[in-house]
Amino acid sequence: MSQVTQTRNDDIRHDFEWDSKYGSEDAIKFIGVRDMQVEELEQLASLVPFIRASKASLSKKDFKPSNIKLLISKLRVLLAFIYRQNTSHIPPVNDSSSTYDPALTAGVPPVPSRQQAARELGAIDAVIELIQVAGGHIHKLSSDDMPDVHIRWMQRILPLLFLVVESFIDEHQENQNFVAHRMEILLAYIDDRVNADRCITTMLTSNREL
């Protein structure tokens, strides 16, 4: 016989989850999800597809500064989302000298539930893929070549991408272990002054296992 429990509250939505307590596949219970949490997930879910689709706009063939500017604005929204901050608090990130660490400077840590959602909804994967693409263009440039407009925009966006990854893993061990499987991608840019060193340090100093 199935067992169903329900929480009655006007500001709670409900979803299904298996209830292992009763040891049967047909035993389910309702799990309450507050409207505010739903709105948060919807906000993140709307960002991830755009970030994934932006990978194509990083190619030299399809490059347009306006598209990169829009991507930067969305990444700033994502960074603000993780810390539950207003986007006006996010400084412009043009190079590795521009950082954003509200946990250190203002005692505002990232929100663990939002960090977890970023992993589960694919935001972490999407951002790391952008790092691979943007960084790959930069690494193709020889030391004797002058960077063109496309490369300069890649150099501008890469530090921001690493700050976003840092926000995902800051004091969040599950996300750190998740990103560690792609550590070779981060290590490839550790000497490029794109905040990769900050990101890796954040991961390793708070995770004894890694």
Side-chain angles (χ1 to χ4, degrees):
M1 179 179 296
S2 62
Q3 176 78 19
V4 178
T5 60
Q6 182 173 1
T7 303
R8 297 184 179 278
N9 194 316
D10 292 338
D11 67 345
I12 291 182
R13 299 184 184 182
H14 297 91
D15 202 353
F16 292 103
E17 180 180 285
W18 292 118
D19 191 347
S20 58
K21 177 180 178 181
Y22 299 96
S24 171
E25 287 188 353
D26 63 353
I28 61 174
K29 63 181 178 180
F30 284 105
I31 302 297
V33 180
R34 297 191 179 278
D35 281 346
M36 184 175 68
Q37 293 174 304
V38 172
E39 291 174 3
E40 290 177 357
L41 292 176
E42 289 174 345
Q43 181 182 358
L44 180 59
S46 68
L47 288 170
V48 175
F50 177 86
I51 293 172
R52 285 193 183 280
S54 295
K55 185 165 65 172
S57 67
L58 298 184
S59 69
K60 193 163 187 175
K61 176 183 177 182
D62 299 321
F63 164 73
K64 292 181 180 178
S66 58
N67 291 340
I68 306 301
K69 289 178 182 179
L70 181 57
L71 174 58
I72 288 174
S73 71
K74 296 298 184 182
L75 291 172
R76 294 177 75 249
V77 170
L78 181 55
L79 197 55
F81 171 84
I82 295 297
Y83 288 99
R84 195 179 279 135
Q85 294 284 291
N86 190 289
T87 52
S88 62
H89 296 153
I90 310 297
V93 179
N94 299 322
D95 52 43
S96 60
S97 65
S98 303
T99 59
Y100 182 66
D101 190 354
L104 177 65
T105 60
V108 180
V111 181
S113 62
R114 295 186 175 198
Q115 291 173 298
Q116 177 180 338
R119 183 184 75 250
E120 294 176 347
L121 293 182
I124 295 179
D125 280 329
V127 172
I128 291 178
E129 287 174 5
L130 292 186
I131 287 175
Q132 281 186 287
V133 176
H137 289 300
I138 294 173
H139 279 180
K140 289 178 182 177
L141 189 71
S142 70
S143 57
D144 297 329
D145 293 335
M146 289 293 293
D148 57 14
V149 175
H150 172 252
I151 293 297
R152 287 199 295 270
W153 275 104
M154 297 303 102
Q155 291 171 333
R156 179 176 178 180
I157 199 173
L158 202 54
L160 177 56
L161 290 168
F162 273 103
L163 286 183
V164 173
V165 174
E166 183 183 348
S167 75
F168 292 151
I169 64 176
D170 191 12
E171 299 296 334
H172 199 289
Q173 186 168 347
E174 289 183 3
N175 283 2
Q176 291 169 358
N177 293 337
F178 181 81
V179 172
H181 291 292
R182 306 181 76 173
M183 178 71 82
E184 72 280 357
I185 298 173
L186 309 185
L187 289 173
Y189 305 100
I190 197 167
D191 294 324
D192 292 347
R193 299 188 59 188
V194 290
N195 289 323
D197 51 340
R198 281 179 53 91
C199 185
I200 294 170
T201 300
T202 296
M203 183 187 301
L204 298 182
T205 55
S206 60
N207 191 321
R208 182 177 295 274
E209 180 183 348
L210 290 178

